[in-house]
Amino acid sequence: MDRVIEKKKWTTKKILTITGITAVVALVAGSFYYTSGASKLNVDTERITISEVKKAAFQEFIPVNGVVLPVTTIYLDAVEGGRVEEKYVEDGAMMKKGEPILKLSNTDLELSLSNQETQVFNVLTQMQISKNNADQNTITRLNQMAEVDNALKEAERLYKVNRRLYDQKAIGSQEFKSSENLYHYQERRKSLTNDILRKDSISSRQQLSQMEQSYERMQNALQLMRQKVGDLVVRAPVDGQLTSLDAEIGQSKNKGERLGQIDVLSGFKVRVDIDEHYISRIYNGLVGSFNFAGKDYILKIKKVYTQVNNGRFQVDMEFEGQVPEGIRRGQTLQIRLALSEETQAVLLPKGGFYQQTGGNWIFKVSQDGKTAYRTDIQIGRQNPEYYEVLQGLQPGDKVVTSSYDNYGNMQELVLKNN
């Protein structure tokens, strides 16, 4: 009797076929998984930096360097050019107002002073001569006036006598008319002499006034010339310390050339260099702080120099309150210059991740701490320590803040502990 032979369901050929198909499907799925961006990367936690997001006080500030300077500096420029003939003090000397610093020689200027003095002397001499001549002329005119007065009085006396005699018919009309004409002549002569004396007096006064004005102008010019010669001796304009003295005996200095400066030691200011990127946000009244000898001090901007040189501009800051003891001119201070008021904000520590993400996303660590996945974020203001997080993260979140250079397009990091 024939027996029915059962057909095998899992033949070797069938098993090999299914295994091949499964491998192809797995390969395609794996390829799709890795090329679609949902890639993972094993990362050693000891090689990365994990930071915690927190909510705390935030202030936007920039670190800047400032140099300590005297609160007032008076520059010494050569008012007149010349050759350095003598130095009375050396650089760094403490000066009192009016004390000489150095002397310049200028023979042309000294010769001009001598000529000016001669001219003034000549004008003074000429003025004295003119005054003497005017006085002599006045005396002569007064003598003439006295003679005219005497002649008029005599003619008047004779005229009155002859008129009485003529009325009495003691003399003839000819003699009377002669005395009358003489009397009228002397009256006109006196009037003319008075006019001449008055005009001479006015002319003399005008001439003397003009000469006095000319003499006064020349005296002023002489005084200015003497002052210019006096400026050849450079003196301290205020009490202070002489610094940056640039003059050696025999050296020629041009008019207006910088010779040095006087630092007034009544106080200090700080000259700060700032990147031009911040020029629109810097104004008088902004506050900065620095630490000196373990203690914090406050500075405030008093003056902004808007001229930009080599991509930077400068501001002057003055101390608010106490000035540090032992601070010296030329000392460099590291200052935190505040650009905003202090406010509460969600803060993300700064790190190398920003170079690859631009602050648009970050790897956020999962609750179990085993993975970190890509999360979109938005950041706002920043300072050298923190970014202000506007959205995407909450206080207490942990994120990877170290560099993402080796992560490529990874979407998830698998955190491994050795």
Side-chain angles (χ1 to χ4, degrees):
M1 177 176 175
D2 292 335
R3 184 172 57 89
V4 178
I5 301 175
E6 293 181 2
K7 190 176 181 180
K8 296 181 178 179
K9 295 180 179 180
W10 297 99
T11 63
T12 302
K13 183 177 180 180
K14 188 175 181 179
I15 292 172
L16 291 175
T17 301
I18 293 173
T19 301
I21 293 173
T22 302
V24 171
V25 171
L27 180 63
V28 171
S31 175
F32 177 77
Y33 177 80
Y34 284 106
T35 56
S36 64
S39 55
K40 297 183 179 181
L41 180 67
N42 293 331
V43 177
D44 186 354
T45 56
E46 293 183 354
R47 297 180 179 273
I48 63 175
T49 301
I50 297 178
S51 303
E52 182 176 350
V53 178
K54 62 181 180 179
K55 185 172 184 179
F58 175 82
Q59 186 175 49
E60 192 177 6
F61 70 90
I62 56 175
V64 293
N65 291 329
V67 178
V68 178
L69 298 174
V71 68
T72 303
T73 298
I74 307 298
Y75 294 105
L76 301 175
D77 295 338
V79 180
E80 298 295 333
R83 184 178 61 85
V84 180
E85 185 175 282
E86 188 173 359
K87 286 176 62 177
Y88 301 107
V89 294
E90 295 296 332
D91 190 46
M94 301 302 297
M95 305 298 299
K96 294 292 184 181
K97 182 178 180 180
E99 288 184 344
I101 298 172
L102 57 86
K103 180 181 180 181
L104 303 174
S105 64
N106 186 324
T107 54
D108 292 338
L109 196 61
E110 292 168 354
L111 181 60
S112 297
L113 174 61
S114 178
N115 292 335
Q116 187 74 22
E117 289 175 337
T118 301
Q119 291 177 13
V120 171
F121 178 76
N122 291 338
V123 170
L124 179 59
T125 302
Q126 185 63 40
M127 186 172 66
Q128 291 175 341
I129 293 173
S130 297
K131 185 176 180 181
N132 291 337
N133 291 337
D135 291 342
Q136 187 64 39
N137 185 62
T138 299
I139 292 172
T140 301
R141 294 298 182 186
L142 291 175
N143 285 331
Q144 292 177 354
M145 190 66 183
E147 293 177 358
V148 169
D149 283 340
N150 183 65
L152 176 59
K153 290 180 180 180
E154 182 62 24
E156 183 181 10
R157 184 191 65 79
L158 182 61
Y159 167 68
K160 290 180 179 180
V161 170
N162 286 343
R163 187 174 59 181
R164 286 195 301 270
L165 294 175
Y166 178 72
D167 291 341
Q168 297 173 2
K169 301 190 183 297
I171 60 174
S173 61
Q174 184 65 30
E175 187 175 357
F176 170 70
K177 287 294 183 182
S178 176
S179 63
E180 184 181 29
N181 291 339
L182 179 62
Y183 170 65
H184 292 314
Y185 163 73
Q186 293 296 342
E187 282 185 327
R188 290 193 298 272
R189 184 184 177 194
K190 181 178 180 179
S191 177
L192 180 61
T193 303
N194 280 331
D195 289 341
I196 293 174
L197 182 61
R198 180 177 55 83
K199 291 179 180 179
D200 281 350
S201 178
I202 293 174
S203 177
S204 296
R205 285 198 302 269
Q206 290 177 345
Q207 186 177 5
L208 287 175
S209 177
Q210 292 173 356
M211 295 191 71
E212 287 175 353
Q213 292 175 3
S214 177
Y215 176 73
E216 184 177 354
R217 287 194 297 269
M218 295 192 72
Q219 279 280 45
N220 292 335
L222 177 61
Q223 185 63 29
L224 290 175
M225 185 63 68
R226 286 173 177 167
Q227 182 177 340
K228 294 176 71 174
V229 173
D231 288 337
L232 293 175
V233 178
V234 180
R235 300 178 182 275
V238 293
D239 295 349
Q241 184 177 23
L242 175 64
T243 60
S244 304
L245 181 62
D246 181 20
E248 299 296 336
I249 293 178
Q251 187 178 9
S252 293
K253 294 293 182 179
N254 296 323
K255 184 176 181 179
E257 186 174 348
R258 181 65 46 82
L259 301 175
Q261 62 190 44
I262 297 290
D263 294 335
V264 180
L265 303 182
S266 59
F268 293 99
K269 64 182 178 182
V270 180
R271 179 70 53 81
V272 179
D273 279 336
I274 303 176
D275 191 285
E276 65 176 333
H277 173 75
Y278 299 100
I279 193 168
S280 62
R281 304 189 62 186
I282 302 300
Y283 52 87
N284 291 344
L286 284 183
V287 175
S289 62
F290 69 97
N291 186 277
F292 185 83
K295 187 176 180 180
D296 290 333
Y297 296 91
I298 303 299
L299 293 166
K300 181 179 288 187
I301 293 180
K302 294 297 183 180
K303 185 175 183 179
V304 179
Y305 301 91
T306 56
Q307 183 178 1
V308 177
N309 291 316
N310 298 322
R312 306 187 71 81
F313 67 101
Q314 294 182 322
V315 300
D316 281 345
M317 305 187 74
E318 294 184 358
F319 291 94
E320 288 289 308
Q322 187 178 2
V323 178
E325 294 184 6
I327 201 167
R328 294 290 182 268
R329 183 187 189 278
Q331 194 167 356
T332 299
L333 303 178
Q334 295 180 341
I335 303 167
R336 291 163 53 107
L337 181 59
L339 301 181
S340 68
E341 297 292 334
E342 191 174 272
T343 57
Q344 292 292 314
V346 178
L347 304 181
L348 170 63
K350 281 197 165 183
F353 75 94
Y354 188 86
Q355 279 66 38
Q356 283 72 42
T357 71
N360 297 314
W361 59 273
I362 198 170
F363 282 114
K364 178 180 176 181
V365 179
S366 62
Q367 291 290 335
D368 58 13
K370 294 182 179 181
T371 61
Y373 53 93
R374 179 167 171 164
T375 301
D376 291 334
I377 63 172
Q378 181 181 353
I379 62 176
R381 299 173 298 169
Q382 59 178 294
N383 61 33
E385 298 172 355
Y386 295 101
Y387 295 110
E388 178 189 26
V389 180
L390 301 180
Q391 64 181 30
L393 296 174
Q394 297 296 325
D397 290 343
K398 294 183 178 180
V399 292
V400 179
T401 55
S402 52
S403 175
Y404 293 179
D405 281 342
N406 300 322
Y407 298 167
N409 293 323
M410 298 297 172
Q411 295 292 310
E412 187 174 341
L413 304 179
V414 179
L415 305 181
K416 300 292 184 180
N417 295 317
N418 288 337

